[in-house]
Amino acid sequence: LLYERHGEPAAVVQLKDLEVPKLGDYDVHIKMLAAPINPADINMIQGTYPLLSPLPAVGGNEGVGEVLEVGHRVTALKPGDWVIPADAGLGTWRTRGVFPEEKLLKVPSDIPVLCAATLSVNPCTAFRVLADFESLAPGDSVIQNAANSGVGQAVIQIARASGIKTINVVRDRPDLPKLVERLMALGADHVVTEEMLRKPEMKDIFKSTPRPRLALNCVGGKSTTEMLRHLQPKGTMVTYGGMAKQPVMVPVSAFIFRDVRLGGVWMTQWRKDHAQDQGSVAGMMDALCQLIRRGQLTAPACTEVPLQDYRAALEASMKPFVSSKQILLL
């Protein structure tokens, strides 16, 4: 799926037949199996993301493929292995591709294909926000908005596996009871709407759950200010998205009297910073794959779409209140 200019995805993305490039000594020929449509993919096509691929570009930053053939200097991969992108900008919305070996990470082929296809962005972000800012112990709690997003669903499951409680904030919507049920089934301890953050009922939650030391923000605007209010003194709020397209507003008192800290995480930057530290990348991937194998981490709610229906998938991925990730089957 190629785009030659930036603009609205359904208008600029086209399905094109291209020649598969010749296999070089250090190259790997892969057959893509499945690739999701993430918000960052949409923003890259629109031309509004901080990282843009040179045009013409193939869409997609995430997905899983099977190795068909390797160049004769490739050492770490062999035909039949499963691989995911080592970094953003690979262009995963395609049936075949030839990539340098260092652009790919091997993943176990005994995990479900949808888990592998959605492994490199949301679960990694969830893992980093839970690991890098506060040392959380079993019994501690975190609060997060956009709890039904891909990252939100992964946070609930990774936290649950570590004995950490989650307070999950979602926008009010017509099918709210169904969404609450789904998040509770994933292991959420509490699910509240943005409006409830201001209500006295929050006190009831804190009778059984300690106030959070960590707040995870993917929205911005009012939702964030309200969430921040429930953070423990010296707590940390980490921002990894801004779906409301509004700034984060923090009362001065939160800094002075409660010594709240603010941070941010961008997986692309984290990978750049750790490019020489393969141990921490491998450690994170291992931990996530172990959780998947044990059934403690599942793929987010997905809608599987054949490649030729890509326009419908692009449009569906941009609708509000969609709790299902569109996955292109390649």
Side-chain angles (χ1 to χ4, degrees):
L1 290 176
L2 199 72
Y3 57 100
E4 290 169 346
R5 61 189 170 87
H6 293 125
E8 278 317 296
V12 299
V13 172
Q14 294 174 313
L15 190 54
K16 290 240 167 124
D17 281 328
L18 302 175
E19 285 285 303
V20 176
K22 207 162 131 304
L23 193 70
D25 288 356
Y26 296 96
D27 287 342
V28 180
H29 180 190
I30 67 171
K31 168 182 181 271
M32 289 301 298
L33 302 173
I37 300 176
N38 289 319
D41 304 328
I42 299 290
N43 297 151
M44 281 174 85
I45 297 164
Q46 291 166 332
T48 59
Y49 202 63
L51 174 88
L52 298 177
S53 301
L55 298 174
V58 176
N61 289 291
E62 189 181 32
V64 63
E66 183 184 336
V67 175
L68 295 177
E69 198 184 349
V70 299
H72 66 272
R73 298 237 169 141
V74 170
T75 53
L77 295 170
K78 61 184 191 307
D81 284 345
W82 277 15
V83 288
I84 62 172
D87 216 337
L90 193 70
T92 53
W93 300 348
R94 62 174 95 213
T95 52
R96 299 279 175 99
V98 170
F99 304 107
E101 179 183 16
E102 79 264 9
K103 299 253 185 221
L104 303 167
L105 281 179
K106 183 177 167 182
V107 292
S109 52
D110 64 348
I111 60 174
V113 72
L114 294 183
C115 288
T118 54
L119 182 60
S120 64
V121 178
N122 294 335
C124 291
T125 301
F127 189 90
R128 298 268 54 103
V129 293
L130 288 169
D132 294 351
F133 295 89
E134 288 280 345
S135 13
L136 298 167
D140 284 343
S141 80
V142 302
I143 187 167
Q144 63 165 347
N145 56 23
N148 57 312
S149 67
V151 175
Q153 293 175 58
V155 162
I156 290 170
Q157 295 174 84
I158 296 168
R160 164 52 66 99
S162 316
I164 294 158
K165 293 176 182 285
T166 55
I167 301 162
N168 301 280
V169 186
V170 296
R171 287 182 296 173
D172 201 1
R173 62 195 63 213
D175 61 345
L176 184 66
K178 210 158 84 191
L179 176 61
V180 171
E181 194 181 317
R182 196 154 60 76
L183 296 183
M184 297 299 268
L186 286 180
D189 294 281
H190 306 279
V191 183
V192 298
T193 62
E194 291 185 339
E195 292 70 28
M196 271 180 72
L197 285 173
R198 275 169 241 134
K199 301 250 170 82
E201 290 96 289
M202 289 302 288
K203 285 202 179 80
D204 296 340
I205 287 178
F206 297 126
K207 283 176 189 161
S208 62
T209 301
R211 279 189 180 272
R213 287 177 36 206
L214 184 64
L216 308 176
N217 168 46
C218 173
V219 178
K222 212 170 180 179
S223 156
T224 310
T225 315
E226 295 297 339
M227 189 167 69
L228 201 60
R229 203 186 280 171
H230 299 294
L231 208 53
Q232 269 188 39
K234 291 193 181 339
T236 306
M237 182 171 77
V238 183
T239 293
Y240 66 90
M243 282 158 48
K245 297 186 169 64
Q246 290 165 352
V248 168
M249 308 288 275
V250 181
V252 171
S253 60
F255 286 123
I256 300 173
F257 304 120
R258 292 175 43 233
D259 193 15
V260 162
R261 288 127 220 258
L262 301 187
V265 82
W266 185 30
M267 223 35 237
T268 303
Q269 188 61 47
W270 187 91
R271 288 185 202 284
K272 271 200 193 96
D273 295 345
H274 293 78
Q276 302 314 311
D277 174 14
Q278 281 314 301
S280 62
V281 178
M284 169 172 71
M285 290 321 225
D286 268 2
L288 291 170
C289 289
Q290 290 294 350
L291 288 173
I292 291 168
R293 281 204 192 91
R294 291 201 294 260
Q296 292 176 304
L297 178 61
T298 55
C302 290
T303 304
E304 299 171 50
V305 183
L307 181 61
Q308 58 271 26
D309 296 339
Y310 72 93
R311 276 213 173 88
L314 285 168
E315 281 164 3
S317 72
M318 295 170 71
K319 290 200 175 104
F321 297 124
V322 175
S323 297
S324 184
K325 195 177 280 293
Q326 305 290 308
I327 305 261
L328 298 168
L329 297 181
L330 306 159

